[in-house]
Amino acid sequence: MMMSRSGTNRVANTALLVAKGLSGEVGGLRAFYGGGVKSESTLTMSEKEKKVDLSPTHCGNKEEKGFVSYWGIEPSKITKKDGTEWKWNCFRPWETYKADVRIDLKKHHAPVTFMDKMAFWTIKALRYPTDLFFQKRYGCRAMMLETVAAIPGMVGGMILHTKSLRRFEHSGGWIKALLEEAENERMHLMTFMEVSKPKWYERALVITVQGVFFNAYFLGYLLSPKFAHRMVGYLEEEAIHSYTEFLKELDKGSIENVPAPAIAIDYWQLPPDSTLRDVVMVVRPDEAHHRDVNHFASDIHYQGRELREAAAPIGYH
């Protein structure tokens, strides 16, 4: 049985009226129960942005707007002891320290075994092209050196981390100790970047050297941790030598003794009127501590033990 056209129109109109009525009732219920206010999850992005306080935050000496986050995570407000705002996001006040400048800078591990000699002469061989390329430009040399020196701690910590997970065992604190070393070296780089701005070809060199050294050290650590740590120990000895030469050039006036970067003053808790020489004076002991840690780690392996069997020198700067 077929329905006439007029009958069809009446049915359609009736359905439309019912739909409008339901819509009005739902709207009335919303107004009655919720006051017509949308829930947080139904707010549009623009509406959410209006609710967020976009007060400026500081990263270094740059001002940035606050981040809009669905997850409700907001940067914590940190102040110094004097009540002024802490402006660094890359490290916190409790991570700063005064360098131990009393450490013996002349200590040297005499290579005796074949593996020690190989590690020693590998570093000596790498020093030759470095001297040839940078010569007396110790600011650039320090900056480039730190891009390499920050790799071993990260690689060693990463390998120990996966080993700890794989074997269901503790690391003796060595994961944290090596990552601390990597972070400390990276802070050296962040400091010298303020003193010596890298040129485009130096940035290209960093990419090349970092790619080669990272993979070579990763394989070397897997094959022989004692060789890897010994090599880093000798690398740190060369770093001490480089910074000593840096100081000599500063004292002779060949390199301008500019004011210390603000990041260095806060990180090493230096006086406000510190200079570049003061920065080098605190960076050099850091390298000496890294020298000791890596030679110590190599000695542990030479004794047929594992690093986790000896307490790691956490916080040893």
Side-chain angles (χ1 to χ4, degrees):
M1 180 177 178
M2 297 183 64
M3 186 179 293
S4 65
R5 180 177 296 179
S6 60
T8 303
N9 290 338
R10 284 197 298 272
V11 171
N13 291 335
T14 302
L16 183 60
L17 289 171
V18 170
K20 287 182 178 180
L22 288 174
S23 177
E25 289 180 6
V26 171
L29 289 171
R30 281 180 179 171
F32 181 78
Y33 288 108
V37 178
K38 296 180 182 179
S39 66
E40 181 69 20
S41 60
T42 59
L43 287 174
T44 63
M45 192 59 185
S46 60
E47 289 173 313
K48 285 183 181 180
E49 288 174 354
K50 292 176 183 177
K51 296 179 66 178
V52 178
D53 179 18
L54 298 180
S55 57
T57 58
H58 297 274
C59 178
N61 55 0
K62 299 179 181 178
E63 290 191 359
E64 298 178 354
K65 290 185 176 180
F67 292 97
V68 178
S69 173
Y70 167 78
W71 308 106
I73 300 174
E74 295 183 4
S76 56
K77 299 294 183 182
I78 302 174
T79 58
K80 298 182 182 180
K81 292 181 179 179
D82 59 5
T84 58
E85 184 180 359
W86 182 259
K87 61 182 179 180
W88 308 106
N89 288 335
C90 50
F91 65 100
R92 296 294 191 241
W94 52 86
E95 296 173 321
T96 66
Y97 63 97
K98 289 184 179 292
D100 180 13
V101 296
R102 300 168 300 172
I103 190 170
D104 186 356
L105 300 171
K106 297 181 180 179
K107 287 174 69 176
H108 167 66
H109 182 277
V112 177
T113 67
F114 170 77
M115 195 166 290
D116 280 0
K117 291 178 180 179
M118 186 167 66
F120 178 78
W121 288 110
T122 297
I123 297 301
K124 286 294 184 183
L126 292 174
R127 178 181 168 181
Y128 177 75
T130 305
D131 289 343
L132 190 64
F133 184 82
F134 292 106
Q135 298 181 3
K136 297 291 185 179
R137 295 183 299 134
Y138 285 102
C140 294
R141 184 191 186 106
M143 179 184 62
M144 297 294 288
L145 173 67
E146 300 300 348
T147 64
V148 173
I151 291 176
M154 181 59 67
V155 171
M158 178 182 66
I159 292 176
L160 291 181
H161 176 73
T162 54
K163 181 180 178 181
S164 174
L165 299 176
R166 188 170 62 251
R167 293 189 176 183
F168 303 94
E169 63 187 18
H170 292 287
S171 69
W174 280 93
I175 296 173
K176 186 173 183 178
L178 293 178
L179 293 182
E180 279 183 350
E181 176 187 314
E183 176 63 10
N184 183 246
E185 296 283 13
R186 193 183 67 84
M187 289 303 299
H188 293 176
L189 173 62
M190 297 298 104
T191 296
F192 285 110
M193 278 177 55
E194 300 294 323
V195 177
S196 179
K197 302 297 182 183
K199 298 179 175 60
W200 69 267
Y201 58 85
E202 291 172 335
R203 291 178 180 271
L205 181 63
V206 167
I207 295 173
T208 304
V209 173
Q210 189 181 80
V212 173
F213 185 74
F214 181 95
N215 289 286
Y217 189 79
F218 178 80
L219 292 175
Y221 201 101
L222 288 176
L223 294 173
S224 177
K226 62 183 175 184
F227 169 78
H229 281 294
R230 187 70 77 204
M231 189 176 72
V232 176
Y234 288 130
L235 176 64
E236 300 296 353
E237 290 183 18
E238 289 297 328
I240 295 169
H241 172 76
S242 294
Y243 283 117
T244 300
E245 294 299 313
F246 197 168
L247 285 172
K248 290 179 181 178
E249 295 300 316
L250 283 167
D251 291 339
K252 289 192 299 185
S254 302
I255 299 175
E256 184 182 0
N257 190 23
V258 297
I263 191 171
I265 291 174
D266 283 342
Y267 185 67
W268 283 284
Q269 300 178 11
L270 296 172
D273 59 347
S274 296
T275 62
L276 177 58
R277 189 182 191 282
D278 298 316
V279 174
V280 177
M281 285 293 292
V282 294
V283 169
R284 191 170 56 163
D286 283 353
E287 306 294 2
H289 284 89
H290 300 159
R291 170 203 64 193
D292 295 351
V293 169
N294 281 278
H295 280 315
F296 174 53
S298 184
D299 289 345
I300 293 172
H301 283 292
Y302 264 105
Q303 296 170 29
R305 313 289 290 276
E306 292 193 19
L307 293 183
R308 64 185 179 86
E309 298 179 53
I314 297 174
Y316 181 69
H317 291 294

